[in-house]
């Protein structure tokens, strides 16, 4: 398909996408955390692992320079967008409608997500509704929790898979992710390619966990962090997050980031005590 010099370019080839947009994504790793993480994941494990055979990627090019990008893993999933102006978001919405794409949802920084939602409504009549608001935090100076709760941290190994899957199921239920997590489906979930750390009680029982995505463009995203409800309020999540954050820095990460639910003051306060600083508000809209 031919494109105008200043245009949104769409492809289903991840290598084509990264050849054009990869440098742009790496130029600002923190706001581009989602496309960096997911394109690295798809390249490492193959699109089919995540059911993303029909993934679509796009980049906005003007005078030979990339100014924006998006990806969509499948027709059932929504768009994930880099920061865009209102005009750029409107041009993308118009292009997708012209090509017959159906978009069930979109997520991005709050200003971009709102601009795209409004543009999508103008072009399609679909009424947008906010599904969730998040806050992206970046680690400044790590401040280990005091006092440290009883127990210790421990890297999660293959023998821990059953316990790990149980904690991931709890996390998914808490955040409303519709995902099956068991021995058969594990490799096909976004949880499978992370490094995990448990916080163990003195008797060796895992009481909290934190995961970290593989480093990409010098950035590590901490995700997920989960403590079962009956064990919360004892400092376990802070302790295990501090351990994972320290490990990321020790591995050479220049940026360590995590998302929080904007509506959860407890978790937001916890991460700020550890040295995480809010950098951008995030939103997901359903159409």
């Amino acid at each position: 398909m031919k494109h105008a010099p200043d245009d949104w370019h769409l492809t289903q080839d991840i290598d084509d996408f990264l050849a054009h947009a990869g440098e742009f994504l790496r130029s600002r790793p923190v706001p581009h955390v989602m496309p960096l993480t997911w394109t690295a994941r798809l390249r490492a494990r193959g699109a089919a692992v995540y059911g993303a055979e029909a993934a679509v990627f796009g980049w906005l090019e003007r005078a030979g320079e990339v100014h924006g990008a998006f990806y969509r893993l499948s027709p059932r999933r929504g768009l994930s967008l880099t920061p865009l102006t209102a005009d750029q978001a409107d041009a993308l919405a118009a292009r997708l409608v012209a090509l017959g794409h159906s978009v069930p949802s979109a997520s991005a920084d709050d200003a971009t997500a709102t601009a795209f939602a409004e543009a999508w409504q103008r072009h399609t009549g679909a009424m947008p509704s906010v599904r969730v608001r998040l806050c992206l935090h970046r680690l400044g100076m790590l401040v280990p929790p005091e006092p440290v709760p009883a127990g210790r941290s421990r890297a999660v190994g293959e023998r821990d898979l059953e316990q790990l899957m149980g904690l991931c199921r709890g996390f998914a239920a808490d955040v409303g992710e519709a995902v099956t997590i068991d021995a058969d489906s594990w490799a096909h979930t976004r949880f499978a390619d992370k490094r995990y750390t448990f916080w163990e009680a003195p008797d060796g029982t895992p009481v909290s966990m934190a995961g970290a995505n593989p480093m990409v463009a010098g950035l590590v995203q901490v995700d997920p962090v989960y403590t079962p409800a009956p064990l919360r309020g004892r400092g376990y999540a802070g302790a295990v997050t501090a351990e994972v954050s320290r490990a990321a820095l020790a591995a050479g990460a220049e940026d360590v980031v995590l998302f929080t639910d904007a509506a959860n003051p407890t978790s937001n306060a916890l991460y700020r005590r550890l040295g995480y600083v809010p950098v951008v508000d995030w939103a997901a809209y359903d159409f």
Side-chain angles (χ1 to χ4, degrees), residues 33-278:
V33 55
M34 294 306 289
L36 283 170
T37 297
W38 273 100
T39 53
R41 187 173 280 155
L42 293 175
R43 287 194 84 183
R45 307 195 68 197
V49 172
Y50 301 100
E53 298 91 340
V56 176
F57 309 92
W59 68 96
L60 176 65
E61 190 170 325
R62 288 181 177 168
E65 186 175 346
V66 175
H67 292 269
F70 79 88
Y71 69 91
R72 188 184 68 180
L73 294 178
S74 77
R76 298 185 307 276
R77 300 202 193 194
L79 296 182
S80 180
L81 307 153
T82 65
L84 302 174
T85 67
D87 287 345
Q88 291 168 345
D90 186 79
L92 175 58
R95 181 69 185 279
L96 292 171
V97 169
L99 293 173
H101 287 269
S102 174
V103 176
S105 61
S107 62
D109 65 279
D110 186 66
T112 299
T114 300
F116 184 83
E118 292 173 350
W120 193 251
Q121 183 178 11
R122 283 195 300 273
H123 289 282
T124 68
M127 183 67 68
S129 62
V130 176
R131 184 189 338 130
V132 66
R133 293 192 185 278
L134 305 172
C135 184
L136 179 63
H137 290 69
R138 179 185 180 274
L139 182 61
M141 181 70 69
L142 180 63
V143 182
E146 288 288 346
V148 177
R152 67 184 185 99
S153 66
R154 176 173 69 79
V156 175
E158 289 185 12
R159 63 188 174 88
D160 302 306
L161 183 58
E162 283 298 328
Q163 289 174 308
L164 175 61
M165 288 191 300
L167 291 170
C168 288
R169 279 192 291 270
F171 170 83
D174 265 18
V175 300
E177 285 191 35
V179 59
T180 299
I181 301 173
D182 55 31
D184 292 331
S185 64
W186 175 253
H188 301 277
T189 72
R190 71 175 186 86
F191 298 98
D193 60 350
K194 305 169 190 285
R195 291 188 175 182
Y196 289 92
T197 299
F198 283 156
W199 191 267
E200 292 184 331
D203 66 359
T205 303
V207 291
S208 188
M209 66 130 183
N213 286 325
M215 190 185 310
V216 56
L219 177 146
V220 170
Q221 180 188 356
V222 176
D223 170 71
V225 177
Y226 178 71
T227 305
L231 300 173
R232 293 173 189 168
R234 306 181 192 185
Y236 299 141
V240 75
T241 301
E243 288 299 317
V244 169
S245 303
R246 183 183 294 114
L249 294 173
E254 298 174 17
D255 297 296
V256 184
V257 300
L258 52 76
F259 282 97
T260 62
D261 184 341
N264 187 333
T266 301
S267 64
N268 281 275
L270 163 66
Y271 296 122
R272 291 177 194 184
R273 288 196 300 272
L274 294 177
Y276 280 88
V277 179

Side-chain angles (χ1 to χ4, degrees), residues 18-40:
L18 290 173
H20 289 89
E23 183 178 347
F24 165 74
L25 296 177
R26 292 188 295 272
S27 71
R28 298 176 62 205
V30 173
H32 298 163
V33 55
M34 294 306 289
L36 283 170
T37 297
W38 273 100
T39 53

